Amino acid sequence: MIRYLVKNNFKLMLRSRWILLVMVLGPVLVIAILSSAFHDLMQSYEGVEEFRAGYRIGEGSVAEDYMEAVKRAGEKAGITFLEYPEGNPKKVMENNDLAAFAEFGGDTYTLYESEDFKVEGITLEYFLTRMMRELSGQALQMTVPGAGDGNGEETVTLPVQNIEFMPAVSAKDYYGIVYIVYFCWCSIICAAGVLASEKKYGIRKKFQVTSLSAFRLYLGKWIPLVLVTTAGMGVPVVLTVVLFDIHWGNAMVSAGLILLSIMAGAAFGLLLYSLSDNLAITIIVLFMTVWFMGFFGGSFETYMFSNWPDSVRNLSPIYHVNRALVETSCMGQSVYTGSSVLYLLVITVVCSAVAAGVDRIKRGRV
């Protein structure tokens, strides 16, 4: 009998094409919009490799004796120095696509930086400061042996320790993962057609006279709901991987966590329906609850930039799954994988037991 229920409900859920379309296209559209909107926010810093800088040496400048050494050091650092004896420095930069311009005069220099090459300007500023200090120290060392770097300071060796850190995550990978999880928790809408039909035609009352237990009747809805949602969410996962090149890391771990999320979401949705016995109320309460879990779980504000304390975020199962999947994507593993599995299994078991218990009470069975 339970096989018949599972098979029949599975077919009925597949007939709700507009609902399945929402579950398939919804994640794809949201991922496309948010990954594009927050691309710059989550873009990792990329160091400057090579750039060109202009220079000019004024009459009597001490830099004239050092410039060849500066140019050789610049080549090693990826900075090409080009001399422009005449012209307004800003105009020279614009006309020759220079990242910066250094004007040496006497024992000082003036550095012009472009708004379009801010990082390059900072890099050149640091480079020249370091070079001038070292060249001045060398000159003083030749004049006064034992004078060190000219500042009277001893060389200090600092201890270096490599620490573990989380690699940068692109907006495409982040939102391509977290919104699949978010939509998994909205799986109850896939069963809307079945639940509405049961109530409309009094099918639930007919089942009450059968020998099927409340738990088996519950499984008759939960199993096809999990299957339909899994098949439906598989499509946007494949589409986003193909269209946006989403990286999921360990495929087995990611697939397992997504399946557990669907199971927990289906159990939670059916529990709400058992308690309210009203589809509209169930969907409203479910969406509100999932929204709050997603809010604290990093679906809207990335959990890396969130100001909420861990004690609050850890209450959200979506937070555990999001962290586990995102960290698995960029690092290959996550300490949140275990807590995610435990959290989702507890939700699935508890919600299923309570939902079946509520249905048993409604049928007058103890």
Side-chain angles (χ1 to χ4, degrees):
M1 186 64 177
I2 190 172
R3 291 182 181 178
Y4 170 78
L5 282 176
V6 171
K7 182 179 179 181
N8 188 57
N9 287 334
F10 182 77
K11 290 181 179 180
L12 290 175
M13 291 179 190
L14 289 179
R15 290 179 182 177
S16 303
R17 292 184 177 85
W18 68 271
I19 294 178
L20 294 176
L21 193 63
V22 171
M23 292 295 289
V24 170
L25 295 182
V28 177
L29 294 176
V30 173
I31 291 168
I33 295 172
L34 293 182
S35 62
S36 176
F38 294 101
H39 172 73
D40 292 336
L41 176 65
M42 299 187 66
Q43 189 174 21
S44 60
Y45 167 77
E46 295 181 1
V48 178
E49 295 183 357
E50 296 181 358
F51 63 91
R52 302 190 308 162
Y55 74 94
R56 177 182 303 155
I57 300 178
E59 186 177 351
S61 174
V62 296
E64 188 172 1
D65 298 331
Y66 304 142
M67 202 59 210
E68 289 302 319
V70 172
K71 292 172 71 174
R72 288 194 299 271
E75 291 179 359
K76 296 180 180 179
I79 306 173
T80 301
F81 285 95
L82 302 173
E83 186 175 10
Y84 295 90
E86 299 178 354
N88 184 285
K90 295 182 179 180
K91 292 293 183 180
V92 172
M93 290 169 59
E94 293 177 3
N95 296 334
N96 297 277
D97 194 28
L98 302 176
F101 191 96
E103 193 171 34
F104 299 93
D107 58 352
T108 62
Y109 67 89
T110 302
L111 183 62
Y112 299 87
E113 301 177 9
S114 172
E115 288 292 330
D116 298 329
F117 300 94
K118 292 183 178 180
V119 176
E120 288 85 347
I122 295 173
T123 302
L124 181 60
E125 183 177 352
Y126 173 79
F127 173 82
L128 290 178
T129 301
R130 186 69 180 268
M131 284 299 302
M132 292 299 104
R133 180 179 178 183
E134 291 184 1
L135 292 172
S136 299
Q138 292 177 9
L140 183 60
Q141 178 71 20
M142 294 175 64
T143 306
V144 185
D149 64 356
N151 294 319
E153 299 176 354
E154 296 181 358
T155 302
V156 179
T157 302
L158 298 177
V160 178
Q161 181 180 1
N162 295 323
I163 60 175
E164 296 182 358
F165 67 97
M166 180 178 174
V169 182
S170 69
K172 289 191 300 182
D173 285 346
Y174 183 84
Y175 288 106
I177 291 172
V178 301
Y179 270 94
I180 293 296
V181 177
Y182 185 82
F183 273 84
C184 286
W185 281 83
C186 302
S187 60
I188 192 64
I189 65 174
C190 293
V194 173
L195 298 178
S197 297
E198 283 187 356
K199 192 167 186 179
K200 181 178 181 181
Y201 298 108
I203 298 176
R204 292 173 58 184
K205 294 181 179 180
K206 297 178 181 179
F207 282 133
Q208 290 180 359
V209 298
T210 67
S211 60
L212 284 175
S213 64
F215 185 68
R216 289 194 175 188
L217 289 174
Y218 167 82
L219 290 179
K221 293 190 287 284
W222 181 79
I223 292 176
L225 179 56
V226 170
L227 294 176
V228 170
T229 308
T230 301
M233 296 309 298
V235 176
V237 169
V238 174
L239 284 177
T240 53
V241 169
V242 174
L243 296 176
F244 311 127
D245 192 28
I246 307 298
H247 300 92
W248 284 87
N250 190 314
M252 295 298 294
V253 173
S254 298
L257 289 176
I258 292 297
L259 178 59
L260 289 174
S261 297
I262 293 173
M263 293 166 58
F268 181 67
L270 290 175
L271 169 62
L272 293 179
Y273 183 74
S274 297
L275 294 173
S276 65
D277 201 26
N278 185 293
L279 185 58
I281 294 176
T282 298
I283 293 177
I284 292 173
V285 174
L286 175 71
F287 280 14
M288 290 177 60
T289 306
V290 173
W291 189 92
F292 276 104
M293 289 194 299
F295 179 77
F296 294 112
S299 297
F300 309 109
E301 180 185 24
T302 59
Y303 65 78
M304 290 89 76
F305 303 148
S306 175
N307 293 322
W308 296 103
D310 287 340
S311 58
V312 174
R313 291 188 291 180
N314 281 321
L315 295 175
S316 169
I318 291 182
Y319 172 69
H320 288 258
V321 180
N322 283 348
R323 282 208 61 167
L325 290 173
V326 171
E327 291 177 2
T328 300
S329 171
C330 62
M331 296 190 299
Q333 60 182 357
S334 173
V335 296
Y336 278 81
T337 301
S339 61
S340 299
V341 172
L342 180 61
Y343 211 156
L344 295 174
L345 287 176
V346 169
I347 291 175
T348 303
V349 172
V350 172
C351 289
S352 298
V354 174
V358 171
D359 288 340
R360 184 182 300 113
I361 293 174
K362 288 182 178 180
R363 292 175 61 180
R365 297 181 180 179
V366 180

